[in-house]
Amino acid sequence: MNTRKKLADLAKTIRSKNAGTDKITFDIIFREKATYETVKRSGALTPETVCEILNVDRARLTDFVEYDPAFAIKFTILRLRPSGSAGDGDIFGAQQYAPFLDLMIDISN
Amino acid sequence: MPSMKIICPNGHLGFAPLKKGSFHLGVDANPDFIAADSGSDDIGPVPLGTDTCASPKAWQEHDLEEMLLASRRIGVPMMIGSAGDTGTNSRVDMYVQMIRDIAARHKLPAFKIGWFYSEVGKDKILGKIRAGSPIKGLDAREDLTEEELGATERVVAMAGVHPFLKLLEEGSDVIIGGRSSDSAIFAAAALHKGYPEPQSYYLGKVLECASFCAEPYGAKETVMGEITDDFVEVTAMAPFQRCTVASVAGHAMYERSNPFHEYVAGGLLDMTNCSYDQVADKTTRVTGMDFVPAEEFRVKLEGSGKVGERFVGMAGIRDPYTIAHVDEVIAWARAQTEERFGKDGWELHYNVFGRNGVMGDMEPLKDKPGHELCIVVQGIAPTREMAEEVTMTGTRQLFYARLPDVKGTAGGVSFVLDEVLHASPAYRWTLNHTMSVDDPLELFPTHTAMIG
């Protein structure tokens, strides 16, 4: 039996956006509590795994929150340079979430 | 105390036009205020640095006209914050003039307009530093140095509720604000009517982005917030949208580092113990918010400093061998620029789309480039002439890169345009800091006048 699913097939919303000029924040929001709890239990989204997926030092992760009222996992990283500096490929920080779409989640637990 | 209602038709007035259908449904619901924020630092440092807008004047005027006509027709105040994207003095003056022009065009009966400014002179900030009152960095930034202040072109302070409250107390029918916290516009209206701080600030927080707190996704639709002494309710006005527990709770964390705290000048909105209830099909009620006044009054400052004049070039690559060696192609073009201009005094930035142009070093697939690439080149230098030549060298020399085993010896890249394009100057955010002030109105001078 297939016990793994893509995060994109479980979450209602997977997004990224500036949080001020120096940070990008990521929101992964689920429609139902059960799915949210399953993803939390899977251990696929932790401060360590998100830093690994984005290839950033742990020191750049400023917040990691499991936010029960919205069935959401939220984390925030510091940019290396402020938004809109020359060479910034994403001034709004709005297209940084893509690597999380295909993240495989163990749903057997 | 009876409830009070505010409608918000646009989360960033001017950035795209409001949708009239849901706005008029909102106006018909008899709100006590019509309000919207017009600013954002999402647009990068260029508009603040060059003192320009990121939005077309026609779209700004479209929304101001809709809001002004509605507000005068039903006789309730209209409030705008962060005029013209950045909230600089010139943007405030521009919006005030637009209001005057719209009023004249429609021959509106006389009304009182109030406005305030948010720009902060560099000499004032320097005075604070030298008086031993540090300009503290936010988001892991160091405290502001005199050198970094010197590299700054323009600074705006983020107003809280205070200048809005003063202008409401003076009887303003229309308020045009300089740079201000999104939530402060709405919170000021509620505080003016005597509602408690926690509910007032939460009302502002939930309304600031208009229909971003509703579902399904659809921006620029009107939402209505209703406040009492005990709770805040938010209702979607668009027929296809609802404010649900999920959409409203989800919005609490939008564009913020964490979903629990919202800092404004003068305190902190604490949403840790908020609870959400669906009280009607399109309405969610929120309770449990708290507000913690700040011990020291600190105001956030945004500053932008010029890096140089800028041109942009573009090049494509289709040869798989060249794609595999694209970093060497770029290194060649850089070396040629260095040969011409020396090591310092210019910048070249390369975004390689099709590999990692969007995410840079964070791109997990950067070792798996696509079958074709687009390189966007940005060249920066002190003068326009030099920036053009730096960019031209950094772009055209991609064509001449000397890869040892390349089969195509007639040119290493493709061009859509054999030219480089003049772009906005390059700026950078130099200030994301806070400054201590004694008087909440110290940085925000207010003015009023009659129109009509």
Short mmCIF file of all heavy atoms in Angstrom, two decimals, chain A residues 12 15 17-19 21-23 25 29 53-56 63 65 67 69 72 74 76-78 82-83 86-87 89 91-92 95-96 99, chain B residues 15 42 45 139-141 215 246 249-250 253-260 276 349 351 357-359 361-362 364 366 378 380 429 432:
data_model
loop_
_atom_site.label_atom_id
_atom_site.label_comp_id
_atom_site.label_asym_id
_atom_site.label_seq_id
_atom_site.Cartn_x
_atom_site.Cartn_y
_atom_site.Cartn_z
N LYS A 12 -3.79 22.66 1.44
CA LYS A 12 -4.66 23.56 0.69
C LYS A 12 -3.84 24.69 0.08
O LYS A 12 -4.07 25.11 -1.05
CB LYS A 12 -5.70 24.16 1.66
CG LYS A 12 -6.61 25.20 1.03
CD LYS A 12 -7.60 25.78 2.04
CE LYS A 12 -6.91 26.74 3.00
NZ LYS A 12 -7.85 27.68 3.66
N ARG A 15 2.71 28.53 0.20
CA ARG A 15 3.06 29.82 -0.36
C ARG A 15 4.28 30.42 0.33
O ARG A 15 4.64 30.02 1.44
CB ARG A 15 1.86 30.79 -0.24
CG ARG A 15 1.56 31.20 1.18
CD ARG A 15 0.25 32.01 1.30
NE ARG A 15 -0.02 32.35 2.69
CZ ARG A 15 -1.18 32.83 3.13
NH1 ARG A 15 -2.18 33.02 2.30
NH2 ARG A 15 -1.34 33.12 4.41
N LYS A 17 6.27 34.49 0.81
CA LYS A 17 6.05 35.93 0.62
C LYS A 17 7.02 36.68 1.52
O LYS A 17 7.42 36.17 2.56
CB LYS A 17 4.60 36.29 1.01
CG LYS A 17 4.20 37.72 0.75
CD LYS A 17 3.93 37.99 -0.74
CE LYS A 17 3.96 39.46 -1.07
NZ LYS A 17 2.84 40.21 -0.53
N ASN A 18 7.37 37.89 1.11
CA ASN A 18 8.17 38.74 1.98
C ASN A 18 7.49 38.91 3.33
O ASN A 18 6.27 39.03 3.41
CB ASN A 18 8.29 40.16 1.39
CG ASN A 18 9.20 40.22 0.20
OD1 ASN A 18 9.95 39.29 -0.08
ND2 ASN A 18 9.15 41.33 -0.51
N ALA A 19 8.31 38.93 4.38
CA ALA A 19 7.85 39.42 5.68
C ALA A 19 8.80 40.58 5.99
O ALA A 19 9.84 40.41 6.60
CB ALA A 19 7.93 38.33 6.74
N THR A 21 11.44 43.65 4.63
CA THR A 21 12.46 43.77 3.58
C THR A 21 13.54 42.71 3.68
O THR A 21 14.26 42.47 2.72
CB THR A 21 13.14 45.15 3.65
OG1 THR A 21 13.73 45.31 4.96
CG2 THR A 21 12.14 46.27 3.42
N ASP A 22 13.66 42.07 4.84
CA ASP A 22 14.83 41.21 5.08
C ASP A 22 14.49 39.74 5.26
O ASP A 22 15.38 38.93 5.51
CB ASP A 22 15.56 41.71 6.34
CG ASP A 22 16.08 43.13 6.18
OD1 ASP A 22 16.22 43.59 5.03
OD2 ASP A 22 16.34 43.78 7.20
N LYS A 23 13.21 39.39 5.18
CA LYS A 23 12.82 38.01 5.44
C LYS A 23 11.84 37.50 4.38
O LYS A 23 11.13 38.28 3.75
CB LYS A 23 12.12 37.89 6.81
CG LYS A 23 13.01 38.12 8.00
CD LYS A 23 12.15 38.02 9.25
CE LYS A 23 12.97 38.18 10.52
NZ LYS A 23 12.07 38.21 11.68
N THR A 25 8.77 34.50 4.34
CA THR A 25 8.04 33.58 5.20
C THR A 25 7.25 32.58 4.36
O THR A 25 6.79 32.90 3.26
CB THR A 25 7.12 34.35 6.18
OG1 THR A 25 6.67 33.45 7.18
CG2 THR A 25 5.94 35.00 5.48
N ILE A 29 -0.69 25.39 4.64
CA ILE A 29 -1.98 25.39 5.33
C ILE A 29 -2.81 24.20 4.87
O ILE A 29 -2.90 23.93 3.67
CB ILE A 29 -2.74 26.71 5.06
CG1 ILE A 29 -1.84 27.93 5.36
CG2 ILE A 29 -4.02 26.79 5.89
CD1 ILE A 29 -2.47 29.27 5.02
N ILE A 53 16.16 21.51 2.86
CA ILE A 53 15.52 21.63 1.55
C ILE A 53 15.91 22.93 0.86
O ILE A 53 16.15 22.97 -0.34
CB ILE A 53 13.98 21.53 1.72
CG1 ILE A 53 13.59 20.10 2.11
CG2 ILE A 53 13.25 21.95 0.44
CD1 ILE A 53 12.19 19.96 2.68
N LEU A 54 16.01 24.01 1.64
CA LEU A 54 16.32 25.32 1.06
C LEU A 54 17.82 25.61 1.06
O LEU A 54 18.25 26.70 0.64
CB LEU A 54 15.59 26.42 1.84
CG LEU A 54 14.07 26.42 1.70
CD1 LEU A 54 13.44 27.43 2.65
CD2 LEU A 54 13.65 26.73 0.25
N ASN A 55 18.62 24.67 1.55
CA ASN A 55 20.07 24.85 1.53
C ASN A 55 20.49 26.11 2.28
O ASN A 55 21.32 26.89 1.80
CB ASN A 55 20.55 24.89 0.06
CG ASN A 55 22.05 24.92 -0.06
OD1 ASN A 55 22.75 24.33 0.77
ND2 ASN A 55 22.56 25.63 -1.07
N VAL A 56 19.88 26.35 3.44
CA VAL A 56 20.26 27.52 4.24
C VAL A 56 20.76 27.07 5.61
O VAL A 56 20.34 26.04 6.13
CB VAL A 56 19.09 28.52 4.42
CG1 VAL A 56 18.60 29.02 3.08
CG2 VAL A 56 17.96 27.92 5.23
N ASP A 63 12.00 31.79 12.53
CA ASP A 63 10.75 31.33 13.15
C ASP A 63 10.36 29.99 12.54
O ASP A 63 10.52 29.78 11.33
CB ASP A 63 9.59 32.32 12.88
CG ASP A 63 9.85 33.72 13.43
OD1 ASP A 63 10.54 34.50 12.74
OD2 ASP A 63 9.38 34.00 14.53
N VAL A 65 6.83 27.65 13.32
CA VAL A 65 5.64 27.59 14.18
C VAL A 65 4.65 26.59 13.60
O VAL A 65 4.39 26.58 12.40
CB VAL A 65 4.95 28.97 14.25
CG1 VAL A 65 3.66 28.90 15.03
CG2 VAL A 65 5.88 30.00 14.87
N TYR A 67 0.89 26.22 13.81
CA TYR A 67 -0.15 27.18 14.21
C TYR A 67 -1.51 26.49 14.14
O TYR A 67 -2.14 26.44 13.09
CB TYR A 67 -0.07 28.40 13.29
CG TYR A 67 -1.04 29.50 13.61
CD1 TYR A 67 -1.20 30.00 14.90
CD2 TYR A 67 -1.80 30.09 12.60
CE1 TYR A 67 -2.08 31.02 15.18
CE2 TYR A 67 -2.67 31.13 12.86
CZ TYR A 67 -2.81 31.58 14.16
OH TYR A 67 -3.69 32.61 14.42
N PRO A 69 -4.66 27.09 15.19
CA PRO A 69 -5.94 27.69 14.78
C PRO A 69 -6.17 27.68 13.28
O PRO A 69 -7.30 27.68 12.83
CB PRO A 69 -5.84 29.14 15.30
CG PRO A 69 -4.84 29.09 16.40
CD PRO A 69 -3.86 28.02 16.01
N ALA A 72 -1.83 25.13 10.28
CA ALA A 72 -0.76 25.63 9.41
C ALA A 72 0.61 25.42 10.02
O ALA A 72 0.79 25.46 11.24
CB ALA A 72 -0.98 27.12 9.15
N LYS A 74 4.31 27.18 9.64
CA LYS A 74 4.83 28.44 9.14
C LYS A 74 6.27 28.59 9.56
O LYS A 74 6.62 28.35 10.70
CB LYS A 74 4.00 29.59 9.73
CG LYS A 74 4.43 30.97 9.27
CD LYS A 74 3.51 32.02 9.86
CE LYS A 74 3.90 33.41 9.42
NZ LYS A 74 3.77 33.63 7.97
N THR A 76 10.06 31.05 8.72
CA THR A 76 10.57 32.31 8.16
C THR A 76 12.09 32.28 8.11
O THR A 76 12.73 31.84 9.07
CB THR A 76 10.09 33.49 9.03
OG1 THR A 76 8.66 33.45 9.12
CG2 THR A 76 10.52 34.82 8.44
N ILE A 77 12.64 32.72 6.98
CA ILE A 77 14.11 32.76 6.86
C ILE A 77 14.57 34.19 6.56
O ILE A 77 13.83 34.99 6.00
CB ILE A 77 14.62 31.83 5.74
CG1 ILE A 77 14.02 32.23 4.39
CG2 ILE A 77 14.31 30.37 6.05
CD1 ILE A 77 14.74 31.62 3.21
N LEU A 78 15.78 34.48 6.96
CA LEU A 78 16.41 35.75 6.60
C LEU A 78 16.93 35.66 5.18
O LEU A 78 17.51 34.65 4.77
CB LEU A 78 17.59 36.04 7.54
CG LEU A 78 17.25 36.48 8.96
CD1 LEU A 78 18.49 36.41 9.83
CD2 LEU A 78 16.69 37.91 8.97
N PRO A 82 18.73 42.35 1.27
CA PRO A 82 17.32 42.79 1.32
C PRO A 82 16.61 42.63 -0.03
O PRO A 82 17.25 42.61 -1.08
CB PRO A 82 17.45 44.28 1.68
CG PRO A 82 18.79 44.44 2.30
CD PRO A 82 19.67 43.42 1.66
N SER A 83 15.30 42.55 0.03
CA SER A 83 14.50 42.38 -1.19
C SER A 83 14.75 43.53 -2.16
O SER A 83 14.90 44.68 -1.75
CB SER A 83 13.01 42.32 -0.85
OG SER A 83 12.56 43.57 -0.40
N ALA A 86 19.90 44.62 -6.38
CA ALA A 86 20.17 44.16 -7.75
C ALA A 86 20.59 42.69 -7.73
O ALA A 86 21.42 42.29 -6.92
CB ALA A 86 21.27 45.02 -8.37
N GLY A 87 19.99 41.91 -8.59
CA GLY A 87 20.28 40.48 -8.65
C GLY A 87 19.27 39.62 -7.92
O GLY A 87 19.23 38.41 -8.11
N GLY A 89 16.22 37.68 -7.55
CA GLY A 89 15.37 37.10 -8.58
C GLY A 89 13.89 37.09 -8.21
O GLY A 89 13.05 36.67 -9.01
N ILE A 91 11.60 39.72 -5.99
CA ILE A 91 11.47 40.89 -5.11
C ILE A 91 10.38 40.68 -4.06
O ILE A 91 10.50 41.11 -2.92
CB ILE A 91 11.18 42.16 -5.95
CG1 ILE A 91 12.41 42.51 -6.80
CG2 ILE A 91 10.81 43.34 -5.06
CD1 ILE A 91 12.22 43.74 -7.69
N PHE A 92 9.28 40.01 -4.44
CA PHE A 92 8.18 39.77 -3.51
C PHE A 92 8.39 38.49 -2.68
O PHE A 92 7.62 38.23 -1.78
CB PHE A 92 6.86 39.65 -4.27
CG PHE A 92 6.31 40.97 -4.76
CD1 PHE A 92 6.98 41.72 -5.70
CD2 PHE A 92 5.12 41.46 -4.27
CE1 PHE A 92 6.48 42.93 -6.15
CE2 PHE A 92 4.60 42.67 -4.71
CZ PHE A 92 5.29 43.42 -5.65
N GLN A 95 7.86 33.20 -5.05
CA GLN A 95 8.04 31.95 -5.79
C GLN A 95 9.10 31.05 -5.16
O GLN A 95 9.75 30.26 -5.84
CB GLN A 95 8.41 32.26 -7.25
CG GLN A 95 7.21 32.59 -8.11
CD GLN A 95 6.31 31.38 -8.32
OE1 GLN A 95 6.75 30.33 -8.78
NE2 GLN A 95 5.05 31.50 -7.93
N GLN A 96 9.26 31.16 -3.85
CA GLN A 96 10.30 30.38 -3.17
C GLN A 96 9.76 29.07 -2.59
O GLN A 96 10.52 28.27 -2.05
CB GLN A 96 10.95 31.21 -2.06
CG GLN A 96 11.53 32.54 -2.54
CD GLN A 96 12.62 32.36 -3.59
OE1 GLN A 96 13.59 31.61 -3.39
NE2 GLN A 96 12.48 33.05 -4.71
N PRO A 99 9.96 24.11 -3.97
CA PRO A 99 10.57 22.84 -3.54
C PRO A 99 9.72 22.04 -2.55
O PRO A 99 9.94 20.85 -2.39
CB PRO A 99 11.89 23.29 -2.88
CG PRO A 99 12.20 24.59 -3.52
CD PRO A 99 10.87 25.25 -3.75
N PHE B 15 -2.26 49.42 -6.71
CA PHE B 15 -1.42 48.36 -7.27
C PHE B 15 -2.19 47.56 -8.31
O PHE B 15 -1.61 47.03 -9.25
CB PHE B 15 -0.91 47.45 -6.15
CG PHE B 15 0.37 46.75 -6.50
CD1 PHE B 15 1.52 47.47 -6.70
CD2 PHE B 15 0.41 45.37 -6.61
CE1 PHE B 15 2.71 46.84 -7.04
CE2 PHE B 15 1.60 44.74 -6.94
CZ PHE B 15 2.75 45.46 -7.15
N ASP B 42 6.95 45.70 -0.25
CA ASP B 42 7.17 44.56 -1.16
C ASP B 42 7.76 45.00 -2.50
O ASP B 42 8.36 44.20 -3.20
CB ASP B 42 5.84 43.87 -1.48
CG ASP B 42 5.46 42.89 -0.39
OD1 ASP B 42 6.33 42.50 0.40
OD2 ASP B 42 4.28 42.53 -0.34
N PRO B 45 13.21 48.70 -3.03
CA PRO B 45 13.68 50.00 -2.54
C PRO B 45 13.67 51.11 -3.58
O PRO B 45 13.92 52.26 -3.24
CB PRO B 45 15.12 49.69 -2.11
CG PRO B 45 15.55 48.59 -3.02
CD PRO B 45 14.33 47.76 -3.27
N ASP B 139 15.18 42.59 12.45
CA ASP B 139 15.45 41.41 11.62
C ASP B 139 16.95 41.13 11.47
O ASP B 139 17.45 40.97 10.36
CB ASP B 139 14.80 41.56 10.24
CG ASP B 139 13.30 41.77 10.33
OD1 ASP B 139 12.72 41.31 11.32
OD2 ASP B 139 12.72 42.39 9.43
N ALA B 140 17.64 41.11 12.58
CA ALA B 140 19.07 40.75 12.63
C ALA B 140 19.98 41.81 12.05
O ALA B 140 21.18 41.58 11.88
CB ALA B 140 19.32 39.39 11.94
N ARG B 141 19.46 43.01 11.74
CA ARG B 141 20.35 44.09 11.29
C ARG B 141 21.10 44.70 12.48
O ARG B 141 20.59 44.75 13.59
CB ARG B 141 19.54 45.20 10.62
CG ARG B 141 19.05 44.82 9.24
CD ARG B 141 18.52 46.04 8.52
NE ARG B 141 18.01 45.65 7.21
CZ ARG B 141 18.20 46.34 6.09
NH1 ARG B 141 18.89 47.46 6.11
NH2 ARG B 141 17.71 45.93 4.95
N GLU B 215 -12.08 33.45 1.21
CA GLU B 215 -11.82 32.41 0.22
C GLU B 215 -13.05 32.21 -0.65
O GLU B 215 -14.15 32.53 -0.21
CB GLU B 215 -11.36 31.12 0.89
CG GLU B 215 -12.39 30.49 1.81
CD GLU B 215 -11.88 29.19 2.42
OE1 GLU B 215 -11.09 28.49 1.77
OE2 GLU B 215 -12.26 28.89 3.55
N ALA B 246 -10.85 29.21 8.51
CA ALA B 246 -9.54 28.92 7.90
C ALA B 246 -8.98 30.16 7.21
O ALA B 246 -7.78 30.46 7.34
CB ALA B 246 -9.67 27.77 6.90
N ALA B 249 -8.14 32.93 10.04
CA ALA B 249 -6.99 32.52 10.85
C ALA B 249 -5.73 32.48 9.98
O ALA B 249 -4.65 32.87 10.41
CB ALA B 249 -7.24 31.17 11.50
N GLY B 250 -5.90 31.99 8.76
CA GLY B 250 -4.75 31.91 7.85
C GLY B 250 -4.19 33.29 7.54
O GLY B 250 -2.98 33.47 7.42
N MET B 253 -1.41 35.17 9.66
CA MET B 253 0.03 34.93 9.53
C MET B 253 0.59 35.44 8.21
O MET B 253 1.79 35.37 7.97
CB MET B 253 0.31 33.43 9.66
CG MET B 253 -0.36 32.58 8.64
SD MET B 253 0.00 30.85 9.07
CE MET B 253 -1.11 30.05 7.99
N TYR B 254 -0.27 36.04 7.39
CA TYR B 254 0.17 36.47 6.06
C TYR B 254 1.22 37.57 6.16
O TYR B 254 1.04 38.56 6.89
CB TYR B 254 -1.05 36.96 5.28
CG TYR B 254 -0.76 37.38 3.87
CD1 TYR B 254 -0.31 36.46 2.93
CD2 TYR B 254 -0.91 38.70 3.48
CE1 TYR B 254 -0.04 36.84 1.64
CE2 TYR B 254 -0.65 39.09 2.19
CZ TYR B 254 -0.21 38.15 1.27
OH TYR B 254 0.08 38.55 -0.02
N GLU B 255 2.31 37.42 5.46
CA GLU B 255 3.37 38.45 5.38
C GLU B 255 3.98 38.80 6.72
O GLU B 255 4.56 39.88 6.86
CB GLU B 255 2.82 39.74 4.75
CG GLU B 255 2.47 39.64 3.29
CD GLU B 255 2.02 40.98 2.73
OE1 GLU B 255 1.25 41.67 3.41
OE2 GLU B 255 2.45 41.32 1.62
N ARG B 256 3.85 37.93 7.71
CA ARG B 256 4.45 38.20 9.02
C ARG B 256 5.37 37.04 9.37
O ARG B 256 5.14 35.91 8.96
CB ARG B 256 3.37 38.33 10.10
CG ARG B 256 2.43 39.51 9.90
CD ARG B 256 3.14 40.84 10.03
NE ARG B 256 2.27 41.97 9.79
CZ ARG B 256 2.08 42.55 8.59
NH1 ARG B 256 2.68 42.07 7.53
NH2 ARG B 256 1.28 43.59 8.47
N SER B 257 6.36 37.33 10.20
CA SER B 257 7.30 36.27 10.59
C SER B 257 6.60 35.18 11.38
O SER B 257 6.91 34.02 11.24
CB SER B 257 8.42 36.85 11.45
OG SER B 257 9.10 37.85 10.77
N ASN B 258 5.66 35.58 12.24
CA ASN B 258 4.92 34.57 12.99
C ASN B 258 3.48 35.02 13.15
O ASN B 258 3.17 36.20 12.99
CB ASN B 258 5.61 34.26 14.33
CG ASN B 258 5.37 35.34 15.36
OD1 ASN B 258 4.23 35.59 15.75
ND2 ASN B 258 6.43 35.98 15.80
N PRO B 259 2.58 34.06 13.43
CA PRO B 259 1.15 34.39 13.41
C PRO B 259 0.63 34.97 14.72
O PRO B 259 -0.56 35.25 14.84
CB PRO B 259 0.50 33.03 13.15
CG PRO B 259 1.45 32.05 13.72
CD PRO B 259 2.82 32.63 13.59
N PHE B 260 1.51 35.16 15.71
CA PHE B 260 1.04 35.53 17.04
C PHE B 260 1.14 37.02 17.32
O PHE B 260 0.36 37.56 18.08
CB PHE B 260 1.84 34.76 18.10
CG PHE B 260 1.78 33.28 17.91
CD1 PHE B 260 2.94 32.53 17.74
CD2 PHE B 260 0.56 32.62 17.88
CE1 PHE B 260 2.88 31.16 17.57
CE2 PHE B 260 0.49 31.25 17.70
CZ PHE B 260 1.66 30.52 17.53
N TYR B 276 -11.67 31.54 16.76
CA TYR B 276 -12.38 31.88 15.54
C TYR B 276 -13.65 31.05 15.45
O TYR B 276 -13.62 29.84 15.66
CB TYR B 276 -11.49 31.60 14.31
CG TYR B 276 -10.17 32.36 14.33
CD1 TYR B 276 -9.08 31.91 15.07
CD2 TYR B 276 -10.02 33.53 13.61
CE1 TYR B 276 -7.88 32.61 15.11
CE2 TYR B 276 -8.82 34.23 13.63
CZ TYR B 276 -7.76 33.76 14.38
OH TYR B 276 -6.58 34.46 14.39
N HIS B 349 25.32 41.64 -12.23
CA HIS B 349 24.53 40.59 -11.59
C HIS B 349 23.91 39.72 -12.67
O HIS B 349 23.36 40.25 -13.64
CB HIS B 349 23.42 41.20 -10.72
CG HIS B 349 23.95 42.06 -9.61
ND1 HIS B 349 24.31 41.55 -8.38
CD2 HIS B 349 24.22 43.39 -9.56
CE1 HIS B 349 24.76 42.53 -7.61
NE2 HIS B 349 24.72 43.65 -8.31
N ASN B 351 21.25 36.60 -13.39
CA ASN B 351 20.24 35.62 -13.00
C ASN B 351 20.08 34.64 -14.14
O ASN B 351 19.74 35.05 -15.26
CB ASN B 351 18.89 36.30 -12.73
CG ASN B 351 18.88 37.07 -11.43
OD1 ASN B 351 19.35 38.21 -11.37
ND2 ASN B 351 18.38 36.47 -10.38
N GLY B 357 17.43 31.04 -11.57
CA GLY B 357 17.24 32.49 -11.63
C GLY B 357 16.30 33.01 -10.57
O GLY B 357 16.42 34.16 -10.14
N VAL B 358 15.33 32.19 -10.15
CA VAL B 358 14.35 32.64 -9.17
C VAL B 358 14.85 32.43 -7.74
O VAL B 358 14.69 33.30 -6.89
CB VAL B 358 13.01 31.87 -9.37
CG1 VAL B 358 12.01 32.23 -8.29
CG2 VAL B 358 12.44 32.17 -10.75
N MET B 359 15.48 31.28 -7.49
CA MET B 359 15.80 30.92 -6.10
C MET B 359 17.28 31.04 -5.75
O MET B 359 17.64 30.89 -4.57
CB MET B 359 15.32 29.50 -5.79
CG MET B 359 13.82 29.35 -5.84
SD MET B 359 13.23 27.78 -5.19
CE MET B 359 13.65 27.92 -3.45
N ASP B 361 20.88 30.31 -4.67
CA ASP B 361 21.51 29.17 -3.97
C ASP B 361 20.49 28.29 -3.25
O ASP B 361 20.83 27.17 -2.86
CB ASP B 361 22.53 29.69 -2.96
CG ASP B 361 23.78 30.21 -3.65
OD1 ASP B 361 23.99 29.86 -4.83
OD2 ASP B 361 24.54 30.96 -3.01
N MET B 362 19.27 28.78 -3.06
CA MET B 362 18.26 27.95 -2.37
C MET B 362 17.62 26.93 -3.32
O MET B 362 16.85 26.09 -2.89
CB MET B 362 17.17 28.84 -1.77
CG MET B 362 17.69 29.77 -0.69
SD MET B 362 16.43 30.27 0.51
CE MET B 362 15.22 31.04 -0.53
N PRO B 364 16.95 23.75 -5.10
CA PRO B 364 17.41 22.36 -4.98
C PRO B 364 17.78 21.74 -6.33
O PRO B 364 18.57 20.79 -6.37
CB PRO B 364 16.22 21.62 -4.37
CG PRO B 364 15.28 22.67 -3.90
CD PRO B 364 15.54 23.90 -4.68
N LYS B 366 19.37 23.15 -8.87
CA LYS B 366 20.30 23.98 -9.63
C LYS B 366 21.31 23.16 -10.43
O LYS B 366 21.94 23.70 -11.35
CB LYS B 366 20.99 25.01 -8.74
CG LYS B 366 21.78 24.45 -7.57
CD LYS B 366 22.40 25.63 -6.81
CE LYS B 366 23.13 25.18 -5.57
NZ LYS B 366 22.20 24.82 -4.47
N GLN B 378 22.33 42.44 -15.13
CA GLN B 378 22.15 43.81 -14.63
C GLN B 378 23.53 44.41 -14.41
O GLN B 378 24.34 43.85 -13.67
CB GLN B 378 21.36 43.84 -13.32
CG GLN B 378 19.94 43.34 -13.46
CD GLN B 378 19.20 43.43 -12.13
OE1 GLN B 378 19.04 44.50 -11.57
NE2 GLN B 378 18.75 42.29 -11.64
N ILE B 380 25.64 47.86 -13.17
CA ILE B 380 25.45 49.05 -12.33
C ILE B 380 26.76 49.82 -12.25
O ILE B 380 27.83 49.22 -12.07
CB ILE B 380 24.99 48.63 -10.91
CG1 ILE B 380 23.66 47.89 -11.00
CG2 ILE B 380 24.85 49.85 -10.00
CD1 ILE B 380 23.35 47.09 -9.79
N TRP B 429 17.69 48.59 0.37
CA TRP B 429 17.10 48.98 1.65
C TRP B 429 18.23 49.21 2.64
O TRP B 429 18.92 48.27 3.04
CB TRP B 429 16.17 47.89 2.19
CG TRP B 429 14.89 47.71 1.43
CD1 TRP B 429 14.52 46.61 0.69
CD2 TRP B 429 13.79 48.62 1.37
NE1 TRP B 429 13.26 46.80 0.17
CE2 TRP B 429 12.79 48.02 0.57
CE3 TRP B 429 13.55 49.88 1.91
CZ2 TRP B 429 11.58 48.65 0.29
CZ3 TRP B 429 12.35 50.49 1.65
CH2 TRP B 429 11.37 49.88 0.85
N ASN B 432 16.01 49.37 8.01
CA ASN B 432 14.87 48.61 8.52
C ASN B 432 15.11 48.60 10.03
O ASN B 432 15.62 47.64 10.59
CB ASN B 432 14.87 47.20 7.92
CG ASN B 432 13.76 46.33 8.48
OD1 ASN B 432 12.74 46.82 8.95
ND2 ASN B 432 13.97 45.02 8.46
#
